[in-house]
Amino acid sequence: MVSPSPSRTAAPGAAAPLAVRPALLVTVLAALTAVAPLAIDMYVPGFPAMGETLDASSSAVQLTMTAFLAGLVVGQLLIGPVSDSVGRRRLLMAGTTGFIVCSVACAAAPDITLLTAARFLQGVAAAAGMVLARAVLTDRFQGADLPRYFAVLSQIMGVAPVAAPVLGGAVLSVSSWRAVFAVLTLIGVLLLLAVVRRVPETLPPERRHGGGVGSTFRAMGALLGRRTFMGYVLVLACVSAALFSYISGSSFVFEEIHGVSSTLYSLIFASNAVGILISGFVFQKLAGRLRLNTLLSAGVGIALLGALAQVLLVAAAGETLAGTWATLFVTCFGIGMVFPGTMSIGQSLARHAPGAASALLGGCQFLFGAVASPLVGLFGEDSSLPMATIMLASLAAAGLALTALARPWQGQGEPEGGRPGTR
């Protein structure tokens, strides 16, 4: 994790200095970012019991997760642009309150239909914390601070999916699946208190979009037409597709093909998450010394090499536990540099509409991830090649978007106020 200095770097035209220290603000924003992955994965260990309690099929239970992901995409695409017109704080409090209400509804749902509807709305509400955390960072910081803090959010995104099933399993060991949503309700209450106390408004009225909410959506439409910005959006989206393919397929690959226990699989999954943490730390240390486009390109290249090595290794030497583990670690390490790089550069390219930019970055990230997740199981279950091939294809698409659209050698999107020569 980064240790923010007590100095406060406000973006040009920003509001007066905040009443909270940067470390506290970034901590709250990181917690808000973690809510969505926690809500996605915490209740997964309770799927069988949920099906029995609600008399629902496994596919119907799985649909509750799909509904949440759909809500997360829709919520980001709506809330992000609107916040450029009305500000961040009110929407953040409303979203967190909505998350609390929807978590209570999930815990009390009498049937699978109502649970699915509540999960969709819970996803919309959870999107507020995720999309507005990035917008607040962009409002508040610039220069070398911005990529370092985005690296913190990326590290949280790497750790939360690992911690969520473990936390959910601990809850299920002493109670039912409904208690998982009760815990999420408690988390929501704590976050609401933190938002009220520690997240002031970072977008003053004079910096908001005039012309009402419609103008903010027009601004998002304009971003869709910007080649460079959309290049970075597609890089993030394609890399996310690779990561979601790994998350959805890795348990099958390690437990079914390589025959490891669930405990060892958890350790393997955790070790690859550590790879994301390490690369995020490396990104933080190098962000003030090297161009962000250089770090981003290195991350895409490392992830692509890891995925290519995995495919070639399976094709040439067959299934090997050590080989699969090692190549996935390399891929995750590269991914850990891509996330903060694309977020920092993308938000810097669209400082005039940070909420809309955050919506497109986050919305496409989870949209591509949701589409890629089920593909692994559709291409056979007797080899790790489907997962490896989908990851490789996704990362190759990210590399294509980087070179054809983003064109990192042009140096666009380097944060203002960074080291000389980085723009």
Side-chain angles (χ1 to χ4, degrees):
M1 289 289 189
V2 67
S3 298
S5 65
S7 63
R8 297 169 184 173
T9 311
L18 295 175
V20 294
R21 291 185 290 118
L24 290 176
L25 177 62
V26 173
T27 299
V28 175
L29 296 179
L32 288 166
T33 300
V35 164
L38 285 177
I40 291 171
D41 293 331
M42 258 186 73
Y43 79 134
V44 169
F47 273 12
M50 186 182 299
E52 292 181 11
T53 303
L54 301 178
D55 192 23
S57 65
S58 59
S59 60
V61 173
Q62 179 65 36
L63 185 61
T64 64
M65 179 180 289
T66 304
F68 182 90
L69 290 172
L72 199 59
V73 172
V74 171
Q76 291 188 84
L77 293 176
L78 290 177
I79 296 170
V82 170
S83 73
D84 286 335
S85 179
V86 304
R88 321 293 187 203
R89 181 175 164 84
R90 285 184 297 170
L91 287 176
L92 198 49
M93 290 191 292
T96 310
T97 302
F99 181 81
I100 295 169
V101 173
C102 292
S103 296
V104 172
C106 289
D111 57 56
I112 196 66
T113 301
L114 290 178
L115 177 61
T116 302
R119 283 287 284 171
F120 174 80
L121 295 175
Q122 188 187 37
V124 173
M130 183 170 288
V131 72
L132 294 178
R134 293 189 294 266
V136 168
L137 279 184
T138 308
D139 293 337
R140 182 67 180 84
F141 302 104
Q142 64 170 344
D145 285 339
L146 188 61
R148 286 203 300 267
Y149 296 151
F150 272 126
V152 173
L153 299 192
S154 298
Q155 288 172 311
I156 293 298
M157 287 293 292
V159 172
V162 179
V166 176
L167 180 58
V171 174
L172 287 167
S173 68
V174 296
S175 189
S176 71
W177 62 268
R178 296 185 187 276
V180 173
F181 291 104
V183 171
L184 287 172
T185 301
L186 176 60
I187 291 173
V189 171
L190 295 175
L191 283 175
L192 180 59
L193 293 175
V195 169
V196 170
R197 293 175 59 86
R198 300 298 182 187
V199 186
E201 179 58 67
T202 57
L203 188 67
E206 63 270 18
R207 289 180 53 215
R208 296 175 189 173
H209 278 236
V213 173
S215 69
T216 65
F217 281 98
R218 287 192 292 272
M220 187 166 70
L223 288 177
L224 287 169
R226 290 182 60 182
R227 171 188 54 78
T228 303
F229 174 78
M230 288 307 300
Y232 290 109
V233 169
L234 290 175
V235 170
L236 176 62
C238 292
V239 169
S240 297
L243 180 62
F244 272 74
S245 298
Y246 158 67
I247 291 173
S248 66
S250 59
S251 60
F252 167 77
V253 168
F254 284 107
E255 294 185 33
E256 299 296 328
I257 295 178
H258 295 294
V260 306
S261 65
S262 58
T263 302
L264 180 55
Y265 166 69
S266 297
L267 291 175
I268 293 172
F269 197 80
S271 72
N272 290 338
V274 169
I276 295 177
L277 284 175
I278 294 172
S279 62
F281 180 78
V282 171
F283 186 93
Q284 291 174 26
K285 293 300 181 182
L286 296 180
R289 304 175 186 176
L290 299 176
R291 295 160 65 102
L292 297 187
N293 279 285
T294 300
L295 294 174
L296 171 60
S297 300
V300 173
I302 291 170
L304 187 55
L305 285 175
L308 179 61
Q310 185 185 5
V311 170
L312 294 178
L313 187 63
V314 173
E319 304 286 355
T320 62
L321 175 60
T324 300
W325 189 349
T327 53
L328 283 172
F329 181 89
V330 172
T331 302
C332 288
F333 183 91
I335 288 174
M337 297 183 72
V338 172
F339 282 1
T342 49
M343 290 177 185
S344 300
I345 295 171
Q347 293 288 163
S348 294
L349 280 170
R351 272 197 174 274
H352 64 288
S358 180
L360 288 171
L361 285 162
C364 291
Q365 176 185 10
F366 280 90
L367 176 61
F368 277 51
V371 170
S373 292
L375 295 180
V376 176
L378 295 178
F379 291 95
E381 300 182 348
D382 57 352
S383 169
S384 64
L385 270 180
M387 181 186 76
T389 302
I390 292 171
M391 291 179 68
L392 178 59
S394 298
L395 291 167
L400 180 61
L402 184 69
T403 54
L405 298 176
R407 302 175 186 176
W409 58 88
Q410 295 179 348
Q412 298 189 54
E414 299 290 339
E416 295 179 4
R419 63 188 282 271
T422 59
R423 289 191 57 75

